Amino acid sequence: MDVSLQSNGADGRAGHPISVRRERHVRRFAERFLYMEEGAGVIIIDSEFRIVEMSEMVARLFGCRRSDWLNRPVEGWFGHLELDCPLFDRTLLEGCSFANRSFKWGRGEIAKSLMLDGDVLEPNGKGKGAYVLFRDASHLLVLEEQIRRSDRLKTIGQIAAGTAHEIRNPLTAIKGFMQLLQKSLTDKSMAKETEFIGIVMMELERVNDLVSEFLLLSKPKKVKLQSIRIGSIIQELLPMIRGEAMLHDVIVQYEEEESLPPIVVDKEQLKQVFLNLSKNAIEAMGNEGTLTIRERRRADRHGHIAVDIQDTGTGISPDMLERVFDPFFTTKPQGTGLGLSICQRIVHDMGGSIEAESEPSGTTFTVWLPFSHGSGGAVSRDDV
């Protein structure tokens, strides 16, 4: 890598080269970043605030050619990127360093969350050049968000563990006496009063379902792992999904990928995830629409398969889409807001993830699961 910093005069002509010692220092510094990991890069600027070196990672990230910007002003590069505000300014050359400055670049699937560090090239070397290190922190931010969600679920689980049984005890007594009262009213042919009791019983059942969902969050559940093909799980669920879809005049399309390798999962818990996501999609469409269940494989070194559950509803607004996995957040009048949180926890415990994308023409939930790298008998473990 040819890195030589020169100071230009006012007329733009090259002046005297910097000292051999400092040039050697800068050269070593720049060459170091040639061997950085893929998610990091650097630009080096001289005392005139011009770019004298740019890593290929930075060029790829911002969609520009490295050679086009060497020895050109940093402000011109910012203008080309059409940034709302500059990433840094000339005060960096005066020793105003910064660390972990956050910056988001791009939109949609290509959006990146970056962390920037900037400093002068030499200690006490004000005005003699500086560097800015770019780190792609997108993956770390996703992990941090998953941890935050898990912590919230854990807190809810702890609350549920202390209250669920206290709720169920009086609930059982109330339900028992309501059943006796319903029988007595039925024997006396009191139809209107019997109807009222039926409404009370339905509401009691809703409370009981809510307590059951609380217990799913709080109670460690025994997980039975086995190596299985994803298609066989979905095939078992299709009759139930199609039965639910018929009630809403929804068409179900299943796109199977027969070449997919097996996965190691808890079959029954994964069935709960797919059934929940499918029912949500059907309900989101109201009457009429198409539910598509699609299997596919992601071409990456980690080895993942995906199941897309796509509806043709009216979509979810961006602000709501960010919250769909939050406990107690729901758009349903009678929903508890725990279904998707539980689905997310189940998938995370199997080493996978759930993503949601939405447009005015519909919403897609994607479940990512890792391949099985070995043969597989069943394995039991206690989920923690």
Side-chain angles (χ1 to χ4, degrees):
M1 178 184 296
D2 182 16
V3 179
S4 79
L5 303 185
Q6 292 185 335
S7 176
N8 284 0
D11 60 357
R13 293 176 299 177
H16 296 289
I18 63 177
S19 69
V20 174
R21 180 185 64 80
R22 182 164 173 270
E23 183 172 354
R24 188 164 52 245
H25 172 80
V26 174
R27 186 185 300 277
R28 286 200 305 268
F29 182 88
E31 289 176 346
R32 168 188 171 194
F33 288 99
L34 282 174
Y35 306 101
M36 291 184 66
E37 60 186 69
E38 185 178 350
V42 69
I43 66 170
I44 300 175
I45 60 178
D46 65 9
S47 59
E48 300 297 324
F49 210 53
R50 296 170 305 182
I51 299 171
V52 293
E53 189 51 69
M54 175 185 289
S55 294
E56 289 295 341
M57 174 271 187
V58 177
R60 287 196 308 271
L61 178 67
F62 290 100
C64 59
R65 290 202 311 175
R66 167 182 168 273
S67 59
D68 289 345
W69 293 102
L70 296 184
N71 299 315
R72 294 183 62 182
V74 176
E75 291 96 342
W77 185 52
F78 289 161
H80 171 75
L81 298 178
E82 298 182 349
L83 300 177
D84 293 333
C85 59
L87 301 178
F88 51 90
D89 56 34
R90 290 176 179 266
T91 58
L92 178 61
L93 295 172
E94 299 170 5
C96 295
S97 61
F98 54 86
N100 295 326
R101 178 177 292 178
S102 61
F103 173 69
K104 289 188 177 180
W105 173 255
R107 295 178 181 176
E109 295 183 358
I110 62 172
K112 297 289 185 181
S113 296
L114 306 175
M115 302 297 287
L116 277 61
D117 299 336
D119 203 352
V120 292
L121 285 171
E122 299 179 53
N124 302 318
K126 295 180 181 180
K128 295 183 180 180
Y131 72 91
V132 178
L133 173 64
F134 295 76
R135 289 174 288 126
D136 185 354
S138 304
H139 182 61
L140 293 177
L141 292 178
V142 169
L143 290 177
E144 288 175 0
E145 179 60 25
Q146 290 179 357
I147 291 171
R148 284 194 292 269
R149 290 185 188 276
S150 297
D151 287 343
R152 286 197 292 269
L153 289 178
K154 183 179 179 181
T155 301
I156 292 170
Q158 291 171 342
I159 296 171
T163 60
H165 292 293
E166 296 300 323
I167 294 174
R168 272 193 165 174
N169 288 337
L171 199 64
T172 302
I174 293 170
K175 187 175 180 180
F177 283 114
M178 284 292 113
Q179 288 173 334
L180 291 174
L181 183 58
Q182 186 178 43
K183 183 178 183 304
S184 177
L185 294 173
T186 302
D187 292 341
K188 294 178 181 180
S189 300
M190 300 176 69
K192 188 173 183 180
E193 288 77 5
T194 302
E195 182 182 350
F196 292 157
I197 295 297
I199 295 173
V200 173
M201 293 290 287
M202 288 174 58
E203 294 303 306
L204 287 174
E205 199 60 42
R206 280 188 60 214
V207 176
N208 187 60
D209 290 342
L210 177 59
V211 172
S212 298
E213 289 190 334
F214 265 121
L215 289 173
L216 280 174
L217 291 174
S218 65
K219 185 178 179 181
K221 191 169 184 180
K222 195 171 185 180
V223 177
K224 187 175 182 182
L225 298 177
Q226 63 183 109
S227 180
I228 189 170
R229 296 191 179 277
I230 195 72
S232 63
I233 297 176
I234 296 176
Q235 289 285 2
E236 289 185 21
L237 287 173
L238 279 178
M240 287 183 282
I241 295 173
R242 287 190 168 124
E244 182 77 17
M246 286 180 62
L247 299 176
H248 299 269
D249 294 326
V250 169
I251 299 170
V252 178
Q253 296 181 347
Y254 173 41
E255 300 177 9
E256 185 177 10
E257 178 59 63
E258 296 181 354
S259 62
L260 293 178
I263 54 176
V264 175
V265 294
D266 184 303
K267 175 182 172 183
E268 295 305 317
Q269 289 199 37
L270 195 57
K271 284 170 66 176
Q272 177 186 344
V273 170
F274 291 144
L275 187 59
N276 192 320
L277 294 176
S278 298
K279 289 180 68 175
N280 285 350
I282 292 170
E283 292 172 2
M285 288 183 279
N287 291 322
E288 297 186 357
T290 301
L291 170 66
T292 303
I293 302 174
R294 181 186 305 107
E295 301 171 10
R296 58 190 173 94
R297 178 173 182 166
R298 180 163 64 185
D300 65 1
R301 61 181 179 179
H302 302 294
H304 284 77
I305 65 172
V307 176
D308 297 322
I309 297 177
Q310 183 177 30
D311 64 53
T312 55
T314 56
I316 305 173
S317 63
D319 56 330
M320 289 186 176
L321 190 63
E322 294 179 356
R323 302 178 57 197
V324 291
F325 295 108
D326 290 349
F328 300 112
F329 177 79
T330 180
T331 57
K332 300 178 184 178
Q334 304 296 326
T336 63
L338 290 175
L340 287 177
S341 297
I342 293 171
C343 289
Q344 187 182 56
R345 194 204 67 178
I346 290 172
V347 174
H348 283 176
D349 289 344
M350 296 179 193
S353 62
I354 299 184
E355 299 173 355
E357 296 181 358
S358 190
E359 299 177 353
S361 58
T363 302
T364 302
F365 282 85
T366 302
V367 178
W368 291 101
L369 293 163
F371 292 171
S372 166
H373 295 290
S375 59
V379 179
S380 296
R381 66 174 172 84
D382 286 332
D383 190 18
V384 292

